[in-house]
């Protein structure tokens, strides 16, 4: 594929602005995530506390995403996104101030994590559902989603690498300060956009009625529902194993903050390769098949990561896990966005976000609790096995659904021939 085809969605000015601003901002975001986990583990040396802080930062997505999705279908998605970015900047500034002033208070860290989780619930639904409006040629939407995933994982590759150096030399506070400053880029890029958005459809029904409509619609589209449920299962059993990477870095492999940054960066490298592959796919690819294959790769690599005693092998398998994880996330996003009508997009994206970031805190908390009792390696092994079982059920369910669909079409085809 020609490079011009791989980056074809960047021909849209608004998406180009969005892509540039988000890339800079997300590097800071990944630096903050690294620094928060390392700060908590450095202060408490507790797997349980890592799980609690991760749970606090992610559980609001499960609680607020459906509401946020309904809101984005009824109000300006652009305005919601702009407000959420400004709020995220304020949260990062407060976190930076606390740490730079050496006010190491776990309650404050947990409360700020909860605040960021609430903001993210509105940010994700508005950002994902707005993306189609940033593209001039709607056929470029799958490419834009793939490039968006590439951007996230480029940031995931660079952010932890930079954070590893800064954590070792300057400490966590500078990471938080840099994250605060990077929000300037995304806010400026949003203000520079020239959007011609149709006014959202006004309805007399309540937001809660809109939530009910979204749930009812989800029951009518079993394949969309299956894809979202698979993403949720991956969040609970597979993605949450990253909660324990500080434990593996320090206690299993005898490393430090730099070792921890290797885990995050190499995961980002695998995810970046996967995202670039998906961005280059031609329209019409079977996204459900990609979800199944990627889920199997993800689960098997997590199992192998839990069993190896060599750091190079661990890095190899965690890179594969990043590739599998990103393919599941991006393929699910593409399938949902290309198989639901516009008036339902915000609500379906909210269920996607709830599965992606809502199931993850449950998994993170369970991971921390279980690891506290049986250790990190055994916990990750059980997570991989549970994830593999979910993948097998997903593949079986999709094949069964397709067989039923083919059987229903066969009589009609036979009658046409006769």
């Amino acid at each position: 594929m020609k490079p011009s085809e791989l980056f074809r969605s960047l021909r849209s000015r608004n998406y180009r602005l969005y892509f540039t601003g988000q890339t800079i901002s997300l590097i800071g975001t990944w630096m903050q995530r690294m620094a928060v986990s390392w700060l908590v583990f450095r202060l408490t040396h507790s797997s349980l506390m890592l799980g609690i802080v991760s749970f606090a930062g992610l559980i609001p997505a499960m609680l607020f995403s459906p509401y946020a999705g309904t809101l984005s279908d009824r109000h300006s998605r652009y305005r919601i996104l702009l407000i959420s970015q400004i709020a995220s900047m304020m949260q990062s500034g407060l976190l930076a101030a606390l740490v730079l002033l050496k006010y190491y208070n776990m309650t404050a860290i947990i409360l700020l994590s909860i605040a960021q989780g609430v903001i993210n619930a509105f940010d994700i639904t508005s950002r994902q559902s707005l993306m189609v409006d940033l593209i001039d040629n709607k056929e470029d939407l799958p490419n834009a989603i793939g490039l968006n995933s590439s951007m996230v994982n480029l940031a995931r590759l660079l952010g932890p690498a930079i954070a590893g150096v800064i954590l070792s030399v300057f400490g966590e506070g500078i990471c938080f300060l840099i994250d605060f400053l990077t929000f300037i880029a995304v806010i400026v890029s949003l203000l520079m956009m020239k959007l011609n958005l149709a006014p959202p459809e006004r309805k007399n029904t309540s937001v809660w009625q809109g939530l009910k409509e979204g749930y009812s619609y989800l029951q009518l589209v079993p394949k969309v529902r299956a894809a979202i449920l698979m993403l949720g299962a991956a969040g609970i059993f597979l993605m949450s194993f990253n909660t324990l990477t500080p434990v593996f870095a320090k206690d299993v492999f005898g490393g430090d903050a730099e070792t921890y940054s290797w885990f995050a960066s190499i995961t980002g490298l695998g995810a970046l390769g996967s995202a670039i592959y998906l961005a280059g796919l031609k329209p019409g690819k079977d996204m459900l098949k990609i979800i199944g294959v990627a889920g199997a790769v993800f689960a098997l690599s997590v199992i192998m990561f839990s069993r190896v005693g060599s750091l190079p092998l661990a890095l190899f398998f965690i890179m594969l896990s990043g590739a599998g994880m990103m393919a599941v996330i991006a393929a699910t996003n593409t399938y949902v966005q290309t198989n639901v009508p516009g008036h339902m997009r915000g609500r379906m994206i909210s269920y996607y976000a709830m599965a992606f970031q809502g199931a993850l805190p449950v998994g993170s908390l369970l991971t921390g609790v279980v690891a506290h009792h049986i250790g990190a390696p055994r916990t990750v092994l059980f997570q991989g096995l549970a994830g593999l079982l979910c993948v097998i059920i997903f593949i079986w369910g999709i094949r069964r659904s397709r067989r039923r669909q083919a059987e229903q079409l066969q009589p009609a085809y036979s009658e046409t021939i006769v």
Side-chain angles (χ1 to χ4, degrees):
M1 174 177 286
K2 295 180 180 179
S4 59
E5 285 298 307
L6 181 60
F7 298 101
R8 59 187 180 274
S9 55
L10 291 178
R11 291 181 293 219
S12 301
R13 178 182 181 275
N14 289 325
Y15 183 73
R16 191 163 60 246
L17 286 168
Y18 167 86
F19 186 89
T20 303
Q22 284 288 336
T23 299
I24 296 171
S25 178
L26 283 170
I27 290 174
T29 298
W30 278 105
M31 291 177 66
Q32 175 178 320
R33 290 184 184 182
M34 282 278 300
V36 167
S37 294
W38 190 255
L39 175 65
V40 170
F41 193 63
R42 180 174 65 82
L43 294 177
T44 66
H45 205 75
S46 167
S47 300
L48 179 60
M49 188 55 68
L50 280 171
I52 290 173
V53 172
S54 181
F55 176 83
L58 294 170
I59 192 61
M62 176 176 283
L63 301 177
F64 291 100
S65 285
Y67 179 83
T70 304
L71 206 66
S72 72
D73 281 337
R74 292 164 173 260
H75 299 279
S76 170
R77 294 161 180 167
Y78 169 80
R79 189 171 299 172
I80 294 172
L81 178 59
L82 181 60
I83 293 171
S84 70
Q85 293 297 309
I86 294 171
S88 291
M89 185 179 187
M90 294 171 61
Q91 187 269 353
S92 296
L94 286 172
L95 189 56
L98 287 177
V99 177
L100 288 172
L101 294 173
K102 300 191 182 301
Y103 184 70
Y104 298 130
N105 185 289
M106 288 306 302
T107 301
I109 292 172
I110 290 172
L111 289 175
L112 284 172
S113 295
I114 293 172
Q116 187 60 63
V118 174
I119 295 167
N120 285 343
F122 292 87
D123 172 80
I124 292 171
T125 52
S126 60
R127 177 156 41 89
Q128 294 290 348
S129 55
L130 180 67
M131 193 175 301
V132 68
D133 296 313
L134 304 179
I135 304 299
D136 297 333
N137 184 353
K138 304 312 176 189
E139 290 184 358
D140 290 340
L141 179 60
N143 176 256
I145 293 172
L147 283 183
N148 187 64
S149 301
S150 301
M151 171 243 296
V152 170
N153 288 290
L154 178 62
R156 186 173 185 162
L157 179 63
L158 296 176
I162 297 169
V165 175
I166 293 176
L167 285 172
S168 300
V169 179
F170 301 106
E172 299 90 356
I174 300 300
C175 288
F176 300 143
L177 179 61
I178 292 174
D179 180 45
F180 168 77
L181 295 174
T182 59
F183 277 102
I184 296 174
V186 69
I187 292 171
V188 169
S189 71
L190 288 171
L191 293 174
M192 289 176 64
M193 288 181 182
K194 296 178 180 178
L195 293 170
N196 185 22
L197 300 176
E201 183 181 352
R202 297 292 180 180
K203 293 187 177 181
N204 295 325
T205 55
S206 68
V207 171
W208 299 110
Q209 181 62 30
L211 286 175
K212 185 178 178 181
E213 290 173 1
Y215 180 79
S216 298
Y217 176 79
L218 194 60
Q219 304 310 303
L220 300 175
V221 282
K223 290 180 182 177
V224 173
R225 185 173 69 247
I228 290 175
L229 287 174
M230 180 62 230
L231 182 63
I236 292 175
F237 297 116
L238 296 175
M239 297 179 200
S240 57
F241 93 96
N242 283 300
T243 303
L244 298 177
T245 50
V247 183
F248 276 87
K250 192 167 186 178
D251 294 348
V252 177
F253 294 105
D256 52 16
E258 187 175 356
T259 310
Y260 174 43
S261 73
W262 291 349
F263 283 132
S265 292
I266 204 71
T267 302
L269 179 62
L272 178 61
S274 180
I276 291 173
Y277 166 75
L278 289 170
L281 290 178
K282 294 181 180 179
K285 290 292 182 179
D286 188 346
M287 289 297 162
L288 293 175
K289 182 178 179 180
I290 291 175
I291 292 170
V293 172
V297 171
F298 192 6
L300 290 170
S301 59
V302 169
I303 292 170
M304 295 305 298
F305 173 77
S306 72
R307 305 313 299 160
V308 298
S310 163
L311 181 58
L313 278 176
L315 291 172
F316 172 74
F317 285 117
I318 206 171
M319 181 178 68
L320 285 182
S321 78
M325 176 186 67
M326 181 44 52
V328 170
I329 294 169
T332 304
N333 190 354
T334 302
Y335 187 78
V336 171
Q337 293 226 41
T338 54
N339 285 275
V340 300
H343 70 280
M344 279 288 177
R345 190 183 307 122
R347 277 165 282 189
M348 291 304 101
I349 288 295
S350 72
Y351 282 106
Y352 161 85
M354 187 167 62
F356 177 30
Q357 293 216 351
L360 187 54
V362 176
S364 297
L365 184 61
L366 289 173
T367 297
V369 172
V370 175
H372 182 70
H373 292 285
I374 67 172
R378 286 184 179 178
T379 301
V380 174
L381 172 62
F382 291 144
Q383 286 179 285
L385 292 171
L388 185 60
L389 177 61
C390 292
V391 171
I392 292 171
I393 294 172
F394 170 78
I395 294 173
W396 172 80
I398 293 298
R399 286 182 176 178
R400 184 185 180 193
S401 175
R402 286 177 171 171
R403 280 198 303 269
R404 284 183 175 179
Q405 189 174 20
E407 289 170 358
Q408 290 172 356
L409 292 174
Q410 187 63 37
Y413 176 76
S414 300
E415 289 174 8
T416 303
I417 296 296
V418 173

